[in-house]
């Protein structure tokens, strides 16, 4: 009876992911039973996303979707796909078999992107699984899933693991035929593993062409509508939208987008050059991660050699986008986020113009210029903790007013009702191309993308760096808790008008309920012992007047001429740090400030922060 203790590390903040050797047959089968229980407990009605506003009204009714036969034992439908990694298809087929044996109808999609899985889940009940490790290295496997259109929270992912290890009926690879999913009499699923004919009837496989055709047709519908919205006389002719007069180079990085990119972009653009479009889980040119340093070199060179208008890069499972301008320069993700948010706001359907407050969500790692740029568009900027699943959860909240969401890593969600509210890199890229070509036509101006970007504020930044988590004494709280408390204390201290050389928080009548993070329970913790030695002037030097502190996710400080953020990674035992300034001097000053803040807790961390180079 396996304990699956080794698999605990696979259950992360956003998904299940880790080294391929942990995905044993026994583990995958047991996990399939947990998924069967999870989906079997859902109600059978076709549930729509619960958002109240029109941003969730997107529907597409393809003629060629599979209908579940009336009277079948299945009440729940789950779509399942996989990426190009070695081992992904086998895992997907095992999960499909287990779910069908437990009475669930499974629609097998084959090799697809993660957003394509979400699109197809939307056509049924919002339940879907894709076996993918996204942009990770080739020896990594993973699984993402949706329940009722929603990604699981980190707590729900951990709960799934607890259910896995606490269940007494673990399955070995030779027990699938005989085992039932659960011994409880009020179980929501039906075990039909002994009825081979019926379980096979619940396994339905869509042809690859159909999977792609329906997805492409839905996107085409969006752009036909956008074209009509920009015409004075509407038309019902679906073929009136002419191809965009753009030269586009696309790097699929041997990922799942390679199956569909050439065909899809040829439909919308006049000149398309596609690189590395053969899905290949060995990743001969490196990890399928467009954010890795120098990973876009081939794309940059191709843009230059083809005199292209733009270069696009997709990650391994197609939910992240990075771009290169016409000069072959990598566009900062902050600037790309702004352009896409601008598109979402200016191209909102009439139904949203008056009913939605046009909030734009961005993660805590985005640069300091972004809030003002978004406010100038008439949007309300909203900062969020990092993580695409966290972003989707906020977009899908019933009271959400978010019309667009994005993060530094390249996840972007249009929530304007035109398409599914999911981080689909292909769809986001097409919205960008459509807007770019349209703006050039309207203005009768062949401005290059680099010219548009040149009008945005100049900025010098570091990349998003991973740093090792410093070891702390047993009496200390974590490094991020210490830094959060001290920065909160410094902010309060700097705001005090006093002529004293030093100041102790015990002398300041501050209600602890109003400042819970500033007070540490341990009097011997470093963050407690250093506070009495901080002078008012030192506090004001580190956090000058007007400095904004955010502790939504780690510590972020916004200064007059830049910002910095230090936070705990959600996916590894690391810290992540990013700094930006209006100039190189501003950047260095901000790095020096963060180094000074960290030095009392860990001198090596301070040194690493100072050493981070500008991009």
């Amino acid at each position: 009876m396996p304990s699956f203790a080794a698999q605990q590390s696979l259950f992360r903040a956003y998904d299940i992911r880790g080294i391929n050797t942990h995905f044993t047959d026994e583990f995958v089968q047991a996990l399939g039973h947990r998924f069967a229980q999870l989906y079997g407990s859902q109600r059978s009605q076709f549930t729509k996303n619960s958002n109240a506003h029109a941003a969730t009204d997107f529907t597409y009714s393809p003629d060629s979707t599979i209908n579940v036969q009336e009277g079948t034992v299945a009440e729940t439908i789950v779509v399942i796909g996989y990426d190009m990694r070695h081992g992904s298809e086998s895992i997907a087929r095992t999960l499909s078999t287990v779910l069908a044996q437990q009475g669930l109808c499974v629609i097998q999609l084959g090799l697809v992107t993660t957003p394509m899985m979400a699109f197809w889940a939307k056509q049924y009940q919002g339940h879907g699984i894709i076996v993918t490790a996204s942009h990770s290295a080739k020896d990594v496997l993973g699984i993402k899933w949706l329940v009722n259109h929603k990604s699981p929270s980190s707590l729900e992912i951990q709960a799934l693991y607890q259910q896995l290890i606490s269940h007494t009926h673990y399955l070995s690879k030779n027990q699938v035929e005989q085992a039932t999913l659960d011994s409880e009499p009020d179980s929501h699923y039906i075990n039909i593993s002994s009825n081979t004919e019926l379980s096979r009837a619940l396994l339905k496989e869509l042809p690859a062409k159909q999977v792609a055709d329906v997805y492409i047709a839905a996107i085409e519908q969006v752009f036909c509508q956008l074209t009509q919205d920009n015409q004075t006389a509407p038309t019902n002719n679906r073929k009136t939208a002419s191809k965009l007069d753009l030269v586009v180079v696309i790097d699929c990085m041997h990922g799942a987008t390679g199956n569909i990119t050439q065909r899809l972009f040829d439909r919308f653009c006049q000149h398309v050059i596609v690189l590395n479009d053969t899905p290949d889980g060995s990743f001969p040119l490196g990890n399928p991660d467009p954010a890795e340093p120098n990973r876009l070199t081939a794309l940059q060179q191709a843009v230059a050699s083809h005199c292209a208008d733009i270069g696009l890069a997709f990650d391994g499972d197609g939910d992240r986008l990075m771009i290169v301008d016409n000069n072959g320069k990598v566009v900062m993700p902050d600037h790309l986020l702004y352009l896409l948010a601008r598109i979402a706001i200016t191209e909102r359907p009439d139904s949203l113009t008056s009913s939605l407050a046009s909030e734009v969500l961005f993660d805590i790692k985005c640069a300091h210029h972004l809030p003002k740029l978004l406010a100038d568009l008439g949007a309300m900027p909203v900062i969020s903790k990092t993580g695409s699943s966290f972003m989707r959860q906020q977009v899908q909240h019933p009271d959400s007013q978010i019309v667009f969401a994005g993060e530094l890593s390249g996840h972007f969600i249009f929530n304007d009702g035109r398409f599914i509210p999911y981080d689909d890199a292909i769809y986001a890229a097409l919205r960008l191309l459509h807007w770019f070509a349209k703006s050039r036509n309207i203005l009768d101006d062949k401005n290059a993308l680099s010219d548009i970007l040149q009008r945005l504020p100049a900025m010098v930044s570091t990349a998003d760096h991973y740093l090792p988590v410093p070891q702390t004494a047993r009496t200390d709280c974590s490094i991020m808790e210490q830094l959060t408390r001290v920065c909160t204390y410094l902010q309060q201290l700097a705001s005090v008008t006093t002529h004293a050389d030093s100041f102790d928080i015990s002398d300041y009548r501050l209600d602890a309920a109003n400042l819970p993070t500033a007070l540490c329970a341990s009097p011997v913790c470093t963050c407690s012992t250093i506070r009495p030695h901080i002078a008012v002037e030192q506090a004001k030097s580190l956090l000058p007047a007007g400095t904004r502190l955010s502790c939504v996710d780690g510590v972020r400080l916004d200064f007059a001429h830049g910002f910095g953020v230090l936070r705990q990674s959600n996916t590894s035992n690391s810290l992540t740090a990013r700094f930006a300034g209006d100039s190189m001097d501003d950047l260095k000053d901000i790095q020096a400030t963060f180094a000074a803040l960290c030095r009392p807790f860990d001198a090596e961390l301070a040194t690493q922060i100072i050493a981070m180079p500008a991009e």
Side-chain angles (χ1 to χ4, degrees), residues 397-410:
H397 191 278
D399 299 326
S400 172
Q401 298 285 296
I402 299 166
V403 71
F404 180 81
E407 62 175 22
L408 188 76
S409 63

Side-chain angles (χ1 to χ4, degrees), residues 214-363:
V214 175
Y215 173 75
I216 291 173
I219 293 179
E220 184 177 4
Q221 179 178 294
V222 172
F223 289 97
C224 285
Q225 185 60 54
L226 281 168
T227 300
Q228 290 182 15
D229 289 348
N230 294 317
Q231 292 175 343
T232 55
T235 176
N236 291 323
N237 185 354
R238 289 170 57 88
K239 301 300 182 183
T240 56
S242 59
K243 291 188 177 183
L244 305 177
D245 184 16
L246 295 172
V247 179
V248 182
V249 182
I250 305 171
D251 190 348
C252 298
M253 299 193 169
H254 296 289
T257 59
N259 262 7
I260 195 171
T261 294
Q262 186 78 60
R263 179 182 166 201
L264 180 55
F265 281 82
D266 278 344
R267 167 63 191 86
F268 294 103
C269 303
Q270 289 188 13
H271 308 285
V272 180
I273 301 98
V274 182
L275 311 176
N276 308 313
D277 60 341
T278 301
D280 183 351
S282 65
F283 305 130
L285 299 180
N287 297 337
D289 183 357
E292 281 190 0
N294 304 317
R295 192 61 179 85
L296 300 182
T297 301
L299 178 62
Q300 293 172 279
Q301 293 171 347
V303 166
S305 64
H306 290 281
C307 297
D309 295 295
I310 190 171
L312 310 173
F314 304 130
D315 77 334
D317 68 332
D319 61 4
R320 291 170 59 209
L321 169 68
M322 294 288 173
I323 71 170
V324 169
D325 71 14
N326 54 292
N327 291 328
K329 180 180 178 181
V330 177
V331 175
M332 284 189 173
D334 319 80
H335 288 165
L336 176 57
L337 195 159
Y338 166 76
L339 291 179
L340 294 172
R342 177 176 168 182
I343 293 165
I345 292 168
T346 57
E347 294 183 346
R348 281 178 302 169
D350 292 339
S351 59
L352 292 186
T353 302
S354 58
S355 62
L356 198 61
S358 296
E359 291 181 349
V360 173
L361 189 74
F362 61 95
D363 80 310

Side-chain angles (χ1 to χ4, degrees), residues 119-232:
F119 169 83
W120 275 99
K122 181 75 173 178
Q123 311 313 311
Y124 295 99
Q125 297 171 354
H127 306 320
I129 298 172
I130 184 160
V131 183
T132 180
S134 186
H135 58 275
S136 297
K138 62 184 178 182
D139 59 350
V140 175
L141 291 169
I143 301 172
K144 298 180 182 181
W145 65 98
L146 298 174
V147 180
N148 286 329
H149 312 277
K150 295 181 180 179
S151 301
S153 67
S154 56
L155 290 177
E156 289 168 333
I157 293 173
Q158 292 306 312
L160 185 68
Y161 175 71
Q162 292 302 318
Q163 292 163 12
L164 184 74
I165 61 173
S166 64
H167 197 266
T168 56
H169 301 287
Y170 290 111
L171 304 173
S172 72
K173 62 182 177 181
N174 296 320
Q175 291 175 311
V176 176
E177 290 288 327
Q178 292 79 27
T180 58
L181 175 62
D182 201 298
S183 59
E184 298 178 5
D186 60 345
S187 176
H188 294 281
Y189 57 85
I190 303 173
N191 185 297
I192 59 169
S193 59
S194 60
N195 190 333
T196 305
E197 183 177 346
L198 185 54
S199 61
R200 285 177 180 173
L202 294 174
L203 273 173
K204 304 175 184 294
E205 187 163 355
L206 285 177
K209 185 176 184 301
Q210 181 180 339
V211 172
D213 283 349
V214 175
Y215 173 75
I216 291 173
I219 293 179
E220 184 177 4
Q221 179 178 294
V222 172
F223 289 97
C224 285
Q225 185 60 54
L226 281 168
T227 300
Q228 290 182 15
D229 289 348
N230 294 317
Q231 292 175 343
T232 55

Side-chain angles (χ1 to χ4, degrees), residues 65-79:
T65 52
I66 289 179
N67 293 318
V68 179
Q69 184 177 356
E70 290 186 10
T72 183
V73 68
E75 291 184 343
T76 304
I77 307 170
V78 182
V79 303

